Amino acid sequence: MRLKDKVALITGAASGIGKSTSLLFGREGAKVMCVDINGEGAERVAHQIADTGGDAASLTVDVAQEEDVQRMVRETVERWGRLDTLYNNAGIATGGPVTQVQEEEWDRTIDINLKGVFLGCKHAIPEMLKQGGGAIVNTASDAGLRGTAWLSTYCASKGGVVLLTKSLAVEWAQQGIRVNCVCPGVIRTPILDPFIERGRELFSDSAEEAWERLAQLHPIGRVGEPEEVARAVMFLASDEASFITGVALPVDGGLEAGPPMQRLGGIDG
Ligand SMILES: NC(=O)c1ccc[n+]([C@@H]2O[C@H](COP(=O)([O-])OP(=O)(O)OC[C@H]3O[C@@H](n4cnc5c(N)ncnc54)[C@H](O)[C@@H]3O)[C@@H](O)[C@H]2O)c1
């Protein structure tokens, strides 16, 4: 058990990547505080962990609200006496040409995806300092490493997460706090449902065909599964990553590395 007795706080735990990571952390022996704005969903995940012999609890939290974030850190420490890992993962995806993005949509995306990470770090770091260190992992995105048409708001929020991660890594390295982020490519989770629907409208095809179009963006030729991101998060959170801080780790089937081979005419042999 790679996370035995570590205390982990995971945001966006009700669904997708956060749910998979919560379940994996539970299996690996961590005590897991599952938080989400969807409190019932987070509670279901905590029960799933407990049903298989793990130790977990849940809270309803809006990561864009400072008092909620303070409460999630306080209640985790009250319950288990420490906080070893914070996984800032909650997020939303918004899209469209910049000329059509409403100011409220911009504010909401930045508030949840970027301010939420800032608030989590702001309130978790003092607790980690008391115990001599900790590990923070943030969910950025491949869309935080390069520009993507129609995703300018989302890209701006995730690009912010990448540089917030690097800045905090150097700010707290000497105090034993490591700060890293994962940059997923396209992962099969509900966050993409509206984009799949939009793709279907444009091409008049099935959801599976829409997913297949996204798959072909990746050199590996498929989209990722939430568990594949969860395993990268577990590594960055664990002591196995003890000399790794300030990293933005693509978990993306080669998407960030370059275009798929088939776009370049394929390869023989
Ligand atoms: N799925 C992908 O292709 C992909 C790719 C790159 C990055 N990401 C990022 O991964 C993270 C997880 O997304 P996912 O794909 O698992 O999607 P998801 O929709 O399955 O999960 C996101 C979770 O965040 C929660 N959430 C939303 N707003 C919140 C708030 N204000 N406070 C607390 N919780 C809130 C939702 O209720 C949901 O449970 C997000 O930050 C997303 O931007 C996803």
Side-chain angles (χ1 to χ4, degrees), residues 126-150:
E127 291 302 330
M128 291 176 172
L129 290 176
K130 288 182 201 163
Q131 65 201 33
I136 296 174
V137 184
N138 302 318
T139 303
S141 172
D142 179 75
L145 298 173
R146 62 196 177 108
T148 309
W150 279 56

Side-chain angles (χ1 to χ4, degrees), residues 44-78:
R44 275 195 295 277
V45 173
H47 280 147
Q48 234 177 302
I49 294 171
D51 286 348
T52 50
D55 193 355
S58 67
L59 292 170
T60 306
V61 163
D62 178 350
V63 296
Q65 302 294 328
E66 185 156 24
E67 57 274 26
D68 275 22
V69 174
Q70 277 178 294
R71 179 169 52 85
M72 76 181 188
V73 171
R74 190 178 61 243
E75 293 202 14
T76 304
V77 174
E78 276 172 11

Side-chain angles (χ1 to χ4, degrees), residues 17 184-189 192 211 214-215 218 220-229 251-253 255:
I17 294 168
V186 176
I187 309 297
R188 195 183 287 270
T189 76
L192 285 167
W211 279 107
L214 293 176
H218 302 73
I220 275 183
R222 64 173 176 85
V223 300
E225 298 300 328
E227 168 96 14
E228 294 178 292
V229 182
V251 186
D252 68 352
L255 182 59

Side-chain angles (χ1 to χ4, degrees), residues 76-134:
T76 304
V77 174
E78 276 172 11
R79 187 179 183 94
W80 287 302
R82 54 189 294 119
L83 175 59
D84 298 293
T85 295
L86 169 66
Y87 180 28
N88 287 305
N89 164 73
I92 57 169
T94 48
V98 72
T99 47
Q100 290 174 24
V101 175
Q102 301 299 312
E103 187 180 354
E104 302 76 49
E105 189 182 341
W106 169 273
D107 287 344
R108 202 166 73 89
T109 309
I110 299 295
D111 275 359
I112 296 172
N113 291 5
L114 181 54
K115 190 175 86 174
V117 176
F118 148 71
L119 290 173
C121 295
K122 175 180 170 182
H123 293 290
I125 286 171
E127 291 302 330
M128 291 176 172
L129 290 176
K130 288 182 201 163
Q131 65 201 33

